[in-house]
Amino acid sequence: MSKRLKKILPICAVLLAVLICIVWIIIQKSTMKNGRYADIRISGVSAARLDLDNETKKQFHGENDIDLTVVTGNGCVYVEKSECPDKICVKTGKISAVGEQIVCLPARIVIEVKN
């Protein structure tokens, strides 16, 4: 094998792997179905069921005296404000596909999009 081929072969392998990943992501995104409502559970107990098409802003009180403000509208749901220390639930952003979740571990609140 020539030196030139030894240099090109790894580059081609990396480009092929990147292309496969891009195609896989496109297929995953195109097959995701948008949900109709958000199921909010606190400590495993259902607390609310919010329609994603209705503009709603609702506050939930979770474990450890942590409050979350959940907003729905335009077919999605997100956590606008949280009193938890790391704010991962807020940083998750908007979700709309069936099965997607927003989790606040300190408050023990799970928001899941369902159909």
Side-chain angles (χ1 to χ4, degrees), residues 13-34:
V14 168
L15 290 175
L16 181 63
V18 168
L19 180 63
I20 290 171
C21 288
I22 290 171
V23 168
W24 182 77
I25 289 170
I26 291 170
I27 290 171
Q28 290 295 319
K29 290 286 184 183
S30 66
T31 59
M32 293 177 109
K33 293 182 181 179
N34 286 339

Side-chain angles (χ1 to χ4, degrees), residues 3 12 27 34 41 49 54 69 74 80 84 93 95 107:
K3 289 182 180 181
C12 289
I27 290 171
N34 286 339
R41 293 185 310 273
R49 184 176 177 174
N54 293 338
T69 303
N74 296 325
E80 181 181 66
C84 65
I95 61 172

Side-chain angles (χ1 to χ4, degrees), residues 1 3 11 16-17 20-21 29-30 34 43-44 66 71-72 77 83 87-88 91 105 111 114:
M1 216 186 270
K3 289 182 180 181
I11 294 171
L16 181 63
I20 290 171
C21 288
K29 290 286 184 183
S30 66
N34 286 339
S43 298
I66 296 173
V71 179
T72 61
V77 61
E83 296 174 348
K87 309 247 187 292
I88 291 174
K91 294 174 187 173
L105 286 177
I111 303 164
K114 293 190 175 181

Side-chain angles (χ1 to χ4, degrees), residues 65-79:
D65 290 327
I66 296 173
D67 291 329
L68 265 71
T69 303
V70 177
V71 179
T72 61
N74 296 325
C76 64
V77 61
Y78 63 97
V79 176

